[in-house]
C-alpha cells in the first residue's frame, strides 16, 4: 500500500490536533457506554488507525461517536454489563461492515441529496457550538444537546470570567493567526499550545485532568448462551449505524476537500477497525465529523493524518497523559466553536431564499432533526422526503408529457390518417421512464383525453426506456377499459425491456397488437377501420 507523503507536514499537524481533540471525547464516550474511559480510548486508537489505513476517505478521522455509544449503552444495560459479550458484538459489527463493503453497498449513500447534506452539516456545526457553550462559561458540559441547552441559563448566571476570556482568546487567535504562519503551525494547534501555557502559568481553570494509561488486553469473542440473538441484533444495528455515520462523514470530507471517497473501501476499513476494537477491548466507532473537520482545517488530507491521530492517542495510553492533562477545557471549547462555525453551510444559507422553497424546507427540517433528535433519523427522514418529492415531480412530468398527439405529429402521412379518422383513432405518446408515481393517473388521463366514440386506441412507447410494475399494471387497466368499451388497443414502439415487463405481468402483451412504431400502428388502425368499423366492438 502506497502512502502519499506530499502533505506530510499538514498530515502530522492535522493528525496531532485531531488526536488532542479526540482524547477527551474518546474518554467521555467510553464512560457513557458503560465500559469505562479506557474502552473509549482503545476504541479510538483501533478504529482510528485501521479505518485510516484500509479506508477510502483520505482525510477522515474515525473513532467513538454519539450514535454508536447510544447503542452500546443500551446493550450494556440489556447484558447487565457483560463486557465480553459487548466486545463480541463490536467485533461482529466490524465483520458485517467488511461484508457490506465487499458486496458493494456503499455506493447507495451517494444518492443523498444536497439539501439533506447541507442540513446535516449545519446541524452538526450547531451541535458542536451548543456543546461548547457550558465549557466556555466555566461549567461541565452536560450530556447531549438538550442537556447543554437546559443548563445554559444556570451557566450564564454564574460565569467564570477567566474561563470565558481564555476560550474567547483562543477563538480570536484561531481566527487571527496569520496565514503565512499557518503553513508551519496551524492555527488550532498554535492556539492549543498558547492557551495551555497561559493557563498553566497564570490561570486557575478546569483542565482535562488525570488520564488512565496502559495497554489493552485481548478480548476473545464469546458465542452461545441465551443472549446470542441480542448480541447479533446489536451487531447488525452497530454495523448499519456505523456505516451510515461513516459514509455521511465521508460526504462532508468530500465537500471540504473537493475529492471523492471510495464508499465500499471505506466500509471495509471501518469494519477492520471495529473488529480490531472489539478484540482489543474498545468500543465501536465510525467516521467522526467533528474530528474529521478538525483534521482538514489543520492541514490533514491523507490517510497518514488519521493514523497519526491514532498514534497520538496510543502515546497517551502508553504514558504521555500528564502532558495532555494540562490542556484547559476552555481552550478546546474555543477551538471547537471555530470548527462548528466552519462546518455550517453558510454558502447555501446566504442564497437559500433564491432557490426552490421545498429544498430550503427540507434543509431546515434535517437541521432541526439533527440538533434535537439524532443524525440517522434526520438523514433518514430527509432522504425519504426528498425521494418522495422527486417521484412526485417526475410523475407530474410524465403525466404532462402523456398527450393526445394529432397536433404533434411530424409525418404528413400520419397526420393524414388522423385527419381521415379524427373521431375514431385516439393516439397517445409516453415520454421518459414510467414509474409508480405516474401509474395512478395514467388510466384516468387516457380516458379523459380520448375522443368520444373513438374505436382504436394507440399507445406509443417509442420514448419510454423503462417502466416498473405499477406502470405495467396501469397499462393493463387501460387495456381492460378499452376492451370493455369495444375499442381496439394497439401498442407501438415497445423496446425489449418494456415489452418483457408488459408481457410477463399480463401473460402476454395486452391489447390487440404490437407494432414497430406509431406510423405502422396508424396504418394498421386505418386498415382495421376500413375493413369493418362497425364490427370492431364485436372483435
Amino acid at each position: 500500500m502506497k502512502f502519499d507523503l506530499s502533505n506530510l507536514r499538514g498530515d502530522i499537524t492535522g493528525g496531532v490536533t485531531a488526536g488532542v481533540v479526540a482524547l477527551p471525547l474518546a474518554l467521555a464516550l467510553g464512560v457513557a457506554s458503560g465500559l469505562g474511559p479506557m474502552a473509549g480510548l482503545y476504541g479510538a486508537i483501533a478504529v482510528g488507525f485501521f479505518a485510516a489505513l484500509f479506508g477510502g476517505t483520505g482525510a477522515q478521522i474515525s473513532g467513538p461517536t454519539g450514535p454508536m455509544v447510544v447503542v452500546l449503552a443500551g446493550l450494556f444495560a440489556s447484558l447487565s454489563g457483560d463486557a465480553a459479550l459487548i466486545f463480541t458484538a463490536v467485533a461482529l459489527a466490524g465483520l458485517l461492515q467488511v461484508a457490506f463493503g465487499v458486496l458493494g453497498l456503499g455506493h447507495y449513500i451517494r444518492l443523498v441529496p444536497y439539501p439533506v447534506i447541507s442540513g446535516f452539516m449545519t446541524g452538526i456545526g450547531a451541535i458542536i457550538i451548543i456543546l461548547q457553550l457550558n465549557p466556555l462559561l466555566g461549567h461541565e458540559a452536560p450530556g447531549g444537546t438538550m442537556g447543554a441547552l437546559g443548563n445554559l441559563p444556570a451557566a450564564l448566571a454564574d460565569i467564570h470570567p477567566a474561563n470565558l476570556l481564555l476560550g474567547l482568546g483562543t477563538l480570536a487567535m484561531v481566527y487571527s493567526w496569520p496565514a503565512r504562519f499557518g503553513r508551519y503551525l496551524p492555527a488550532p494547534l498554535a492556539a492549543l499550545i498558547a492557551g495551555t501555557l497561559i493557563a498553566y502559568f497564570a490561570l486557575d481553570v478546569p483542565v482535562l485532568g488525570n488520564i488512565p494509561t496502559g495497554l489493552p488486553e485481548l478480548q476473545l469473542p464469546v458465542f452461545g448462551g441465551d443472549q446470542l440473538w441480542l448480541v447479533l441484533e446489536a451487531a447488525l444495528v452497530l454495523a448499519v449505524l456505523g456505516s451510515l455515520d461513516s459514509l455521511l462523514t465521508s460526504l462532508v470530507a468530500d465537500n471540504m476537500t473537493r475529492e471523492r471517497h471510495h464508499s465500499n473501501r471505506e466500509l471495509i476499513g471501518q469494519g477492520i477497525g471495529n473488529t480490531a476494537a472489539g478484540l482489543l477491548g474498545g468500543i465501536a466507532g465510525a467516521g467522526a465529523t467533528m474530528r474529521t473537520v478538525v483534521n482538514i482545517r489543520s492541514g490533514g488530507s491523507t490517510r497518514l493524518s488519521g493514523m497519526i491521530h491514532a498514534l497520538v492517542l496510543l502515546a497517551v495510553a502508553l504514558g504521555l497523559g500528564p502532558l495532555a492533562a494540562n490542556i484547559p477545557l476552555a481552550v478546546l471549547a474555543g477551538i471547537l466553536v471555530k470548527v462548528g462555525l466552519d462546518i455550517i453551510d453558510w454558502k447555501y444559507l446566504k442564497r437559500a431564499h433564491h432557490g426552490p422553497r421545498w429544498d430550503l424546507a427540507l434543509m431546515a427540517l434535517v437541521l432541526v432533526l439533527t440538533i434535537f433528535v439524532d443524525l440517522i433519523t434526520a438523514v433518514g427522514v430527509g432522504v425519504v422526503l426528498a425521494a418522495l418529492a422527486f417521484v412526485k415531480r417526475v410523475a407530474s412530468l410524465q403525466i404532462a408529457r402523456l398527450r393526445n398527439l394529432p397536433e404533434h405529429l411530424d409525418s404528413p402521412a400520419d397526420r393524414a390518417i388522423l385527419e381521415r379518422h379524427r373521431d375514431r383513432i385516439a393516439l397517445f405518446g409516453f415520454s421518459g421512464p414510467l414509474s409508480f408515481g405516474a401509474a395512478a393517473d395514467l388510466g384516468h388521463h387516457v380516458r379523459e383525453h380520448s375522443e368520444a366514440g373513438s374505436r382504436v386506441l394507440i399507445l406509443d412507447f417509442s420514448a419510454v426506456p423503462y417502466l416498473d410494475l405499477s406502470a405495467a399494471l396501469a397499462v393493463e387497466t387501460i387495456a381492460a377499459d378499452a376492451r370493455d368499451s369495444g375499442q381496439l388497443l394497439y401498442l407501438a414502439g415497445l423496446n425489449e425491456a418494456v415489452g418483457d415487463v408488459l408481457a410477463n405481468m399480463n401473460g402476454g402483451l395486452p391489447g390487440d397488437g404490437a407494432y414497430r412504431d406509431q406510423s405502422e400502428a396508424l396504418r394498421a388502425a386505418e386498415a382495421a377501420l376500413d375493413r369493418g368499423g362497425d364490427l370492431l366492438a364485436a372483435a
Side-chain angles (χ1 to χ4, degrees):
M1 182 178 296
K2 295 182 179 179
F3 292 96
D4 182 2
L5 301 179
S6 62
N7 187 47
L8 183 58
R9 180 179 297 165
D11 288 333
I12 291 174
T13 53
V16 170
T17 307
V20 173
V21 171
L23 177 60
L25 297 174
L27 298 174
L29 291 172
V31 172
S33 72
L35 293 168
M38 292 307 292
L41 190 56
Y42 295 147
I45 293 168
V47 180
F49 186 85
F50 290 107
L53 178 60
F54 296 106
T57 311
Q60 178 138 292
I61 302 295
S62 301
T65 63
M68 304 291 274
V69 167
V70 170
V71 177
L72 287 172
L75 184 63
F76 184 89
S78 300
L79 296 177
S80 302
D82 191 332
L85 289 177
I86 298 173
F87 293 137
T88 299
V90 172
L92 287 176
L95 294 176
L96 287 173
Q97 286 182 301
V98 172
F100 293 166
V102 172
L103 294 174
L105 301 183
H107 294 301
Y108 293 99
I109 199 66
R110 290 181 179 168
L111 300 177
V112 178
Y114 185 79
V116 177
I117 297 175
S118 178
F120 154 68
M121 289 175 62
T122 303
I124 288 292
I127 289 174
I128 292 172
I129 296 171
I130 290 170
L131 293 178
Q132 304 314 310
L133 294 178
N134 284 280
L136 273 176
L137 298 172
H139 296 268
E140 291 187 11
T145 307
M146 299 305 296
L149 289 173
N151 193 62
L152 195 56
L156 288 170
D158 184 23
I159 298 175
H160 296 184
N163 219 71
L164 180 59
L165 288 174
L166 183 60
L168 293 179
T170 300
L171 183 60
M173 184 175 178
V174 172
Y175 269 109
S176 61
W177 188 248
R180 64 180 183 274
F181 295 157
R183 291 178 297 174
Y184 306 101
L185 185 63
L189 189 55
L192 185 71
I193 295 172
T196 301
L197 291 175
I198 292 172
Y200 182 77
F201 290 108
L203 299 176
D204 181 18
V205 293
V207 295
L208 288 180
N210 292 330
I211 299 172
T213 58
L215 286 172
E217 296 180 1
L218 183 63
Q219 303 287 330
L220 295 177
V222 177
F223 297 101
D226 298 334
Q227 307 290 355
L228 178 60
W229 287 111
L230 187 59
V231 171
L232 293 175
E233 180 183 3
L236 179 60
V237 172
L238 285 170
V240 173
L241 193 61
S243 299
L244 288 172
D245 211 353
S246 299
L247 294 180
L248 288 169
T249 302
S250 296
L251 291 176
V252 173
D254 287 353
N255 191 62
M256 296 180 67
T257 62
R258 299 297 188 267
E259 295 181 357
R260 188 177 186 182
H261 70 278
H262 299 277
S263 301
N264 294 314
R265 191 191 306 167
E266 182 62 33
L267 291 186
I268 292 173
Q270 293 289 333
I272 294 173
N274 277 313
T275 302
L279 294 176
L280 295 175
I283 64 175
T289 305
M290 182 174 66
R291 280 152 272 176
T292 298
V293 173
V294 168
N295 178 43
I296 295 171
R297 295 293 182 191
S298 300
S301 63
T302 76
R303 66 181 71 247
L304 284 173
S305 59
M307 297 166 66
I308 291 169
H309 138 271
L311 293 177
V312 169
L313 297 176
L314 178 61
V316 172
L318 293 178
L320 296 183
L323 293 179
N326 294 314
I327 297 174
L329 297 178
V331 171
L332 286 180
I335 293 173
L336 293 177
V337 168
K338 172 63 163 59
V339 170
L341 291 171
D342 285 343
I343 199 175
I344 291 175
D345 192 3
W346 299 110
K347 184 177 179 181
Y348 174 72
L349 290 176
K350 289 178 181 178
R351 48 186 185 166
H353 60 286
H354 294 302
R357 291 184 178 180
W358 163 250
D359 289 340
L360 176 58
L362 180 62
M363 183 270 189
L365 175 63
V366 174
L367 166 62
V368 172
L369 290 176
T370 299
I371 295 174
F372 296 106
V373 185
D374 62 68
L375 165 65
I376 304 303
T377 300
V379 173
V381 170
V383 169
V384 169
L385 290 179
L388 291 176
F390 176 76
V391 169
K392 183 178 183 300
R393 291 172 187 169
V394 171
S396 298
L397 290 174
Q398 291 169 345
I399 294 299
R401 292 174 179 174
L402 172 58
R403 51 193 180 178
N404 200 322
L405 286 176
E407 68 274 22
H408 299 287
L409 294 180
D410 296 326
S411 168
D414 292 349
R415 284 200 300 270
I417 293 175
L418 282 177
E419 285 296 326
R420 291 193 294 270
H421 304 283
R422 175 171 291 277
D423 296 332
R424 296 194 294 170
I425 297 178
L427 172 61
F428 291 88
F430 300 96
S431 180
L434 293 179
S435 67
F436 64 91
D441 293 325
L442 286 181
H444 172 75
H445 193 86
V446 169
R447 287 191 299 270
E448 189 177 70
H449 293 86
S450 294
E451 297 289 343
S454 61
R455 311 312 302 273
V456 181
L457 174 62
I458 300 175
L459 302 181
D460 183 8
F461 290 86
S462 300
V464 178
Y466 165 82
L467 82 170
D468 65 8
L469 170 61
S470 299
L473 294 178
V475 173
E476 181 183 4
T477 301
I478 294 172
D481 290 344
R483 188 167 53 249
D484 293 342
S485 60
Q487 290 178 309
L488 291 174
L489 174 65
Y490 291 166
L491 308 179
L494 296 171
N495 65 31
E496 184 177 354
V498 173
D500 287 345
V501 172
L502 289 174
N504 292 337
M505 292 308 304
N506 296 283
L509 288 175
D512 302 284
Y515 299 90
R516 183 177 66 254
D517 53 36
Q518 68 178 16
S519 297
E520 185 177 295
L522 282 168
R523 291 194 297 270
E526 183 174 49
L529 290 170
D530 291 343
R531 283 197 304 271
D534 294 334
L535 299 178
L536 284 172

